[in-house]
mmCIF file of all heavy atoms in Angstrom:
data_model
loop_
_atom_site.group_PDB
_atom_site.id
_atom_site.type_symbol
_atom_site.label_atom_id
_atom_site.label_comp_id
_atom_site.label_asym_id
_atom_site.label_seq_id
_atom_site.Cartn_x
_atom_site.Cartn_y
_atom_site.Cartn_z
ATOM 1 N N SER A 715 -4.192 -15.448 72.247
ATOM 2 C CA SER A 715 -4.111 -16.876 72.073
ATOM 3 C C SER A 715 -3.032 -17.241 71.040
ATOM 4 O O SER A 715 -2.272 -18.228 71.220
ATOM 5 C CB SER A 715 -5.422 -17.377 71.546
ATOM 6 O OG SER A 715 -6.396 -17.279 72.517
ATOM 7 N N SER A 716 -2.826 -16.435 70.035
ATOM 8 C CA SER A 716 -1.725 -16.711 69.066
ATOM 9 C C SER A 716 -0.379 -16.587 69.729
ATOM 10 O O SER A 716 0.564 -17.213 69.229
ATOM 11 C CB SER A 716 -1.903 -15.844 67.901
ATOM 12 O OG SER A 716 -1.495 -14.507 68.150
ATOM 13 N N VAL A 718 0.189 -17.061 73.162
ATOM 14 C CA VAL A 718 0.208 -18.153 74.167
ATOM 15 C C VAL A 718 0.471 -19.534 73.521
ATOM 16 O O VAL A 718 1.230 -20.328 74.094
ATOM 17 C CB VAL A 718 -1.164 -18.292 74.913
ATOM 18 C CG1 VAL A 718 -1.205 -19.446 75.804
ATOM 19 C CG2 VAL A 718 -1.285 -17.002 75.836
ATOM 20 N N GLU A 740 -10.867 -6.862 81.086
ATOM 21 C CA GLU A 740 -11.282 -8.109 81.641
ATOM 22 C C GLU A 740 -10.703 -9.283 80.816
ATOM 23 O O GLU A 740 -10.349 -10.333 81.367
ATOM 24 C CB GLU A 740 -12.820 -8.194 81.560
ATOM 25 C CG GLU A 740 -13.498 -7.289 82.496
ATOM 26 C CD GLU A 740 -13.528 -5.844 82.065
ATOM 27 O OE1 GLU A 740 -13.055 -5.499 80.960
ATOM 28 O OE2 GLU A 740 -13.966 -4.999 82.785
ATOM 29 N N GLY A 760 -2.837 6.986 77.663
ATOM 30 C CA GLY A 760 -1.891 7.962 77.304
ATOM 31 C C GLY A 760 -1.465 7.892 75.819
ATOM 32 O O GLY A 760 -0.417 8.608 75.490
ATOM 33 N N ALA A 765 2.052 3.680 76.249
ATOM 34 C CA ALA A 765 1.818 2.243 76.529
ATOM 35 C C ALA A 765 2.969 1.431 76.228
ATOM 36 O O ALA A 765 3.377 0.523 77.023
ATOM 37 C CB ALA A 765 0.621 1.755 75.709
ATOM 38 N N ASP A 782 0.606 -6.147 67.895
ATOM 39 C CA ASP A 782 -0.568 -5.222 68.143
ATOM 40 C C ASP A 782 -1.769 -5.966 68.554
ATOM 41 O O ASP A 782 -1.944 -7.062 68.060
ATOM 42 C CB ASP A 782 -0.793 -4.464 66.852
ATOM 43 C CG ASP A 782 0.148 -3.335 66.649
ATOM 44 O OD1 ASP A 782 1.024 -3.113 67.573
ATOM 45 O OD2 ASP A 782 0.205 -2.660 65.582
ATOM 46 N N ASP A 785 -3.886 -7.753 65.865
ATOM 47 C CA ASP A 785 -3.205 -8.638 64.889
ATOM 48 C C ASP A 785 -3.009 -9.967 65.544
ATOM 49 O O ASP A 785 -3.394 -10.236 66.677
ATOM 50 C CB ASP A 785 -1.836 -8.044 64.510
ATOM 51 C CG ASP A 785 -1.979 -6.682 63.833
ATOM 52 O OD1 ASP A 785 -3.007 -6.416 63.150
ATOM 53 O OD2 ASP A 785 -1.067 -5.803 63.867
ATOM 54 N N ARG A 793 9.658 -18.737 67.417
ATOM 55 C CA ARG A 793 10.695 -19.726 67.267
ATOM 56 C C ARG A 793 11.611 -19.446 66.177
ATOM 57 O O ARG A 793 12.818 -19.522 66.292
ATOM 58 C CB ARG A 793 10.046 -21.182 67.101
ATOM 59 C CG ARG A 793 11.070 -22.232 67.032
ATOM 60 C CD ARG A 793 10.511 -23.583 66.543
ATOM 61 N NE ARG A 793 9.866 -23.503 65.294
ATOM 62 C CZ ARG A 793 10.553 -23.533 64.110
ATOM 63 N NH1 ARG A 793 11.856 -23.569 64.143
ATOM 64 N NH2 ARG A 793 9.938 -23.531 62.973
ATOM 65 N N GLN A 799 18.169 -15.253 65.467
ATOM 66 C CA GLN A 799 19.103 -14.492 66.370
ATOM 67 C C GLN A 799 20.222 -15.352 66.833
ATOM 68 O O GLN A 799 21.421 -14.896 66.843
ATOM 69 C CB GLN A 799 18.259 -13.906 67.514
ATOM 70 C CG GLN A 799 19.023 -12.900 68.304
ATOM 71 C CD GLN A 799 20.120 -13.450 69.226
ATOM 72 O OE1 GLN A 799 19.913 -14.451 69.809
ATOM 73 N NE2 GLN A 799 21.232 -12.725 69.342
ATOM 74 N N SER A 819 -4.649 -11.669 51.432
ATOM 75 C CA SER A 819 -3.388 -11.684 52.305
ATOM 76 C C SER A 819 -2.207 -11.495 51.494
ATOM 77 O O SER A 819 -1.970 -12.377 50.618
ATOM 78 C CB SER A 819 -3.326 -12.940 53.149
ATOM 79 O OG SER A 819 -2.288 -12.864 54.153
ATOM 80 N N PHE A 823 7.873 -7.801 52.361
ATOM 81 C CA PHE A 823 9.263 -7.985 52.845
ATOM 82 C C PHE A 823 9.955 -6.665 52.768
ATOM 83 O O PHE A 823 9.635 -5.745 52.169
ATOM 84 C CB PHE A 823 9.926 -9.088 52.016
ATOM 85 C CG PHE A 823 9.234 -10.408 52.217
ATOM 86 C CD1 PHE A 823 8.477 -10.975 51.221
ATOM 87 C CD2 PHE A 823 9.636 -11.218 53.271
ATOM 88 C CE1 PHE A 823 7.885 -12.187 51.438
ATOM 89 C CE2 PHE A 823 8.998 -12.465 53.486
ATOM 90 C CZ PHE A 823 8.251 -12.930 52.486
ATOM 91 N N GLY A 829 20.153 -11.367 55.035
ATOM 92 C CA GLY A 829 21.464 -11.456 55.463
ATOM 93 C C GLY A 829 21.841 -10.778 56.686
ATOM 94 O O GLY A 829 20.869 -10.273 57.309
ATOM 95 N N ILE A 836 24.130 -1.074 55.877
ATOM 96 C CA ILE A 836 22.754 -0.835 55.387
ATOM 97 C C ILE A 836 22.232 0.573 55.453
ATOM 98 O O ILE A 836 21.046 0.842 55.056
ATOM 99 C CB ILE A 836 21.689 -1.824 56.158
ATOM 100 C CG1 ILE A 836 21.573 -1.425 57.584
ATOM 101 C CG2 ILE A 836 22.071 -3.293 56.026
ATOM 102 C CD1 ILE A 836 20.416 -2.140 58.266
ATOM 103 N N VAL A 889 18.504 0.540 65.036
ATOM 104 C CA VAL A 889 19.381 -0.004 64.125
ATOM 105 C C VAL A 889 20.757 0.713 64.169
ATOM 106 O O VAL A 889 21.862 0.103 64.181
ATOM 107 C CB VAL A 889 18.880 0.294 62.515
ATOM 108 C CG1 VAL A 889 20.004 -0.016 61.477
ATOM 109 C CG2 VAL A 889 17.696 -0.661 62.265
ATOM 110 N N PRO A 940 27.483 10.707 61.012
ATOM 111 C CA PRO A 940 28.100 11.922 60.681
ATOM 112 C C PRO A 940 28.378 11.987 59.179
ATOM 113 O O PRO A 940 28.666 13.115 58.675
ATOM 114 C CB PRO A 940 29.498 11.699 61.416
ATOM 115 C CG PRO A 940 29.625 10.283 61.702
ATOM 116 C CD PRO A 940 28.226 9.763 61.833
ATOM 117 N N SER A 960 -0.936 14.744 55.275
ATOM 118 C CA SER A 960 -1.503 16.122 55.203
ATOM 119 C C SER A 960 -1.324 16.682 53.818
ATOM 120 O O SER A 960 -0.603 17.659 53.552
ATOM 121 C CB SER A 960 -0.752 17.032 56.237
ATOM 122 O OG SER A 960 -0.936 16.617 57.528
ATOM 123 N N MET A 961 -1.981 16.030 52.818
ATOM 124 C CA MET A 961 -1.758 16.412 51.457
ATOM 125 C C MET A 961 -2.078 17.806 51.087
ATOM 126 O O MET A 961 -1.702 18.357 50.103
ATOM 127 C CB MET A 961 -2.384 15.392 50.486
ATOM 128 C CG MET A 961 -3.880 15.316 50.535
ATOM 129 S SD MET A 961 -4.565 14.018 49.506
ATOM 130 C CE MET A 961 -3.976 12.512 50.420
ATOM 131 N N TYR A 972 0.930 15.466 42.147
ATOM 132 C CA TYR A 972 0.467 14.752 41.033
ATOM 133 C C TYR A 972 0.485 15.654 39.725
ATOM 134 O O TYR A 972 -0.065 15.184 38.717
ATOM 135 C CB TYR A 972 -0.903 14.201 41.268
ATOM 136 C CG TYR A 972 -1.043 12.956 42.126
ATOM 137 C CD1 TYR A 972 -0.262 12.714 43.228
ATOM 138 C CD2 TYR A 972 -1.786 11.895 41.689
ATOM 139 C CE1 TYR A 972 -0.338 11.682 43.959
ATOM 140 C CE2 TYR A 972 -1.816 10.697 42.379
ATOM 141 C CZ TYR A 972 -1.132 10.618 43.563
ATOM 142 O OH TYR A 972 -1.258 9.434 44.272
ATOM 143 N N GLN A 995 -11.325 11.924 50.807
ATOM 144 C CA GLN A 995 -11.762 12.975 51.724
ATOM 145 C C GLN A 995 -11.306 14.387 51.250
ATOM 146 O O GLN A 995 -12.067 15.328 51.261
ATOM 147 C CB GLN A 995 -11.316 12.660 53.151
ATOM 148 C CG GLN A 995 -11.816 13.680 54.094
ATOM 149 C CD GLN A 995 -11.329 13.377 55.551
ATOM 150 O OE1 GLN A 995 -10.649 12.320 55.858
ATOM 151 N NE2 GLN A 995 -11.784 14.188 56.590
ATOM 152 N N THR A 998 -12.949 15.631 47.963
ATOM 153 C CA THR A 998 -14.293 15.912 48.195
ATOM 154 C C THR A 998 -14.494 17.313 48.701
ATOM 155 O O THR A 998 -15.327 18.193 48.411
ATOM 156 C CB THR A 998 -15.066 14.874 49.192
ATOM 157 O OG1 THR A 998 -14.946 13.680 48.654
ATOM 158 C CG2 THR A 998 -16.459 15.328 49.486
ATOM 159 N N GLY A 1001 -13.926 20.249 46.041
ATOM 160 C CA GLY A 1001 -14.867 20.458 44.898
ATOM 161 C C GLY A 1001 -14.571 19.552 43.633
ATOM 162 O O GLY A 1001 -15.155 19.836 42.653
ATOM 163 N N VAL A 1002 -13.800 18.574 43.870
ATOM 164 C CA VAL A 1002 -13.488 17.653 42.736
ATOM 165 C C VAL A 1002 -14.499 16.554 42.655
ATOM 166 O O VAL A 1002 -14.936 16.007 43.711
ATOM 167 C CB VAL A 1002 -12.099 17.060 42.836
ATOM 168 C CG1 VAL A 1002 -11.832 15.912 41.902
ATOM 169 C CG2 VAL A 1002 -10.994 18.190 42.724
ATOM 170 N N ASP A 1036 -11.757 12.919 33.937
ATOM 171 C CA ASP A 1036 -10.574 13.701 33.331
ATOM 172 C C ASP A 1036 -9.201 12.988 33.648
ATOM 173 O O ASP A 1036 -8.334 13.076 32.896
ATOM 174 C CB ASP A 1036 -10.559 15.160 33.863
ATOM 175 C CG ASP A 1036 -11.894 15.861 33.511
ATOM 176 O OD1 ASP A 1036 -12.174 15.838 32.294
ATOM 177 O OD2 ASP A 1036 -12.466 16.375 34.360
ATOM 178 N N ALA A 1041 -3.767 6.024 43.919
ATOM 179 C CA ALA A 1041 -3.556 6.355 45.305
ATOM 180 C C ALA A 1041 -2.825 5.215 45.969
ATOM 181 O O ALA A 1041 -3.289 4.422 46.797
ATOM 182 C CB ALA A 1041 -4.943 6.420 45.990
ATOM 183 N N PHE A 1072 8.454 16.162 41.826
ATOM 184 C CA PHE A 1072 8.115 16.055 43.293
ATOM 185 C C PHE A 1072 8.995 15.022 43.991
ATOM 186 O O PHE A 1072 9.608 15.268 45.007
ATOM 187 C CB PHE A 1072 6.707 15.553 43.531
ATOM 188 C CG PHE A 1072 6.369 15.111 44.869
ATOM 189 C CD1 PHE A 1072 6.146 16.032 45.852
ATOM 190 C CD2 PHE A 1072 6.171 13.785 45.169
ATOM 191 C CE1 PHE A 1072 5.915 15.739 47.151
ATOM 192 C CE2 PHE A 1072 5.867 13.388 46.488
ATOM 193 C CZ PHE A 1072 5.753 14.425 47.430
ATOM 194 N N ARG A 1086 6.194 25.168 55.969
ATOM 195 C CA ARG A 1086 4.955 25.928 56.234
ATOM 196 C C ARG A 1086 4.703 26.120 57.724
ATOM 197 O O ARG A 1086 5.021 25.063 58.527
ATOM 198 C CB ARG A 1086 3.756 25.262 55.607
ATOM 199 C CG ARG A 1086 3.834 25.259 54.091
ATOM 200 C CD ARG A 1086 2.542 25.512 53.492
ATOM 201 N NE ARG A 1086 2.665 25.760 52.013
ATOM 202 C CZ ARG A 1086 1.750 26.255 51.240
ATOM 203 N NH1 ARG A 1086 0.628 26.345 51.741
ATOM 204 N NH2 ARG A 1086 1.924 26.301 49.999
#
Side-chain angles (χ1 to χ4, degrees):
S715 294
S716 74
V718 169
E740 290 78 9
D782 281 356
D785 297 335
R793 180 190 62 78
Q799 192 286 321
S819 186
F823 293 101
I836 65 172
V889 169
S960 301
M961 61 187 69
Y972 276 48
Q995 181 179 3
T998 301
V1002 171
D1036 301 306
F1072 170 72
R1086 296 222 175 184

